[in-house]
Amino acid sequence: MKRCLLSFSVFAAALAGAPLSASAQQTTDASTTTTPTPASSAVERDLRTFTDWVSQTMTKAEAGARREWPRLMSDFDRQSQRLDRAADSLSVQSRREYAAEKARYKEWAAEQRRLEAQARQPETTQQTQDRLLNEKVQVSRARATELPDLYERLLITTREQKRQWTQRDWAAASEVLSRLNARYELVRQQLSLEERLRIRTLQGEFRTLEGARATKEYLSEK
């Protein structure tokens, strides 16, 4: 009788949620594990390829990307359409990743279209000056204390971009320098000796860079 009661107690404990043995737990876990199907594995590979393609495309130089625009759009459409058709085979996390990659690419593509449209429109004189000085300013009304910084901005742009500049770019930069010089002559008495020397140094550096470029062109024609 005692043995029967003991057996019943053990059985009752099992029904109440007593832990399963290690072997039984492993059997249960194995039975609930989802094995990826060949179709879902192929779609996941397509997603990895698409993600890599988006990252590589976005690291291209903007000008290069615009030249290859038709091919890039064709590649995007081909890959995204294939993933769209098989999206149900992706895991929830992979579907989120896919949506994020599509959004990232579309945002980048929209910016490239904007830059392309902007590049097709000729710059005004003021826009060229703003770009070279990296600031919107009316040089003819600039305060004396602003001039050293404006010269510095022009020189920074020149140093960074001179290798890509055409003769037209150099002419535009020289024109901006001339405007700064004209303003400087009107207000230089309001500047300290140190500030005047700084401006003279920046003026000289620009002319040196400009002269070096002209010399290089002359020698290349020989």
Side-chain angles (χ1 to χ4, degrees):
M1 184 61 155
K2 290 181 179 179
R3 184 161 46 191
C4 289
L5 289 173
L6 180 60
S7 298
F8 178 76
S9 298
V10 172
F11 177 68
L15 288 178
L20 295 173
S21 66
S23 59
Q25 184 66 42
Q26 290 172 358
T27 302
T28 301
D29 291 343
S31 66
T32 59
T33 301
T34 301
T35 302
T37 64
S40 65
S41 297
V43 178
E44 293 286 348
R45 285 197 299 272
D46 287 342
L47 176 57
R48 298 279 78 74
T49 300
F50 178 73
T51 299
D52 291 342
W53 179 85
V54 169
S55 295
Q56 291 171 6
T57 300
M58 291 177 65
T59 58
K60 289 177 178 288
E62 291 176 354
R66 289 197 293 273
R67 284 196 298 270
E68 299 178 13
W69 200 247
R71 182 183 63 78
L72 294 176
M73 290 304 299
S74 177
D75 287 348
F76 173 79
D77 290 341
R78 174 177 52 79
Q79 295 186 72
S80 61
Q81 287 170 8
R82 183 168 59 203
L83 284 164
D84 287 341
R85 288 193 297 268
D88 290 342
S89 299
L90 291 170
S91 66
V92 174
Q93 180 178 351
S94 293
R95 283 199 294 271
R96 289 189 188 128
E97 180 183 346
Y98 174 49
E101 289 299 317
K102 282 180 70 174
R104 187 163 73 105
Y105 176 82
K106 287 181 177 180
E107 182 179 349
W108 175 83
E111 176 64 9
Q112 300 313 301
R113 292 192 189 96
R114 186 190 68 78
L115 291 171
E116 185 176 22
Q118 180 179 324
R120 289 175 179 173
Q121 298 177 353
E123 280 187 325
T124 65
T125 302
Q126 184 64 43
Q127 287 173 332
T128 301
Q129 177 183 290
D130 295 344
R131 174 172 56 82
L132 292 171
L133 296 178
N134 196 27
E135 181 181 348
K136 291 183 181 296
V137 62
Q138 190 171 352
V139 172
S140 62
R141 294 186 178 181
R143 294 191 298 271
T145 54
E146 295 175 324
L147 286 177
D149 184 58
L150 291 174
Y151 275 100
E152 183 71 33
R153 286 173 180 269
L154 178 61
L155 260 294
I156 288 174
T157 301
T158 304
R159 294 173 194 138
E160 292 177 348
Q161 300 180 14
K162 61 186 176 67
R163 294 182 183 278
Q164 290 79 41
W165 274 2
T166 63
Q167 185 174 357
R168 183 176 179 180
D169 294 319
W170 277 104
S174 182
E175 174 61 26
V176 173
L177 180 71
S178 295
R179 289 183 209 161
L180 290 172
N181 289 346
R183 184 59 179 169
Y184 169 71
E185 291 301 323
L186 291 175
V187 300
R188 65 176 180 174
Q189 297 302 324
Q190 302 174 30
L191 295 168
S192 66
L193 176 60
E194 182 180 357
E195 289 172 322
R196 294 202 297 270
L197 288 174
R198 179 186 172 198
I199 286 176
R200 289 296 185 187
T201 299
L202 294 170
Q203 290 171 332
E205 181 180 349
F206 181 89
R207 293 308 182 191
T208 298
L209 294 174
E210 187 179 37
R213 179 257 181 189
T215 301
K216 183 178 179 181
E217 280 195 347
Y218 174 79
L219 292 175
S220 65
E221 291 174 357
K222 291 295 183 179

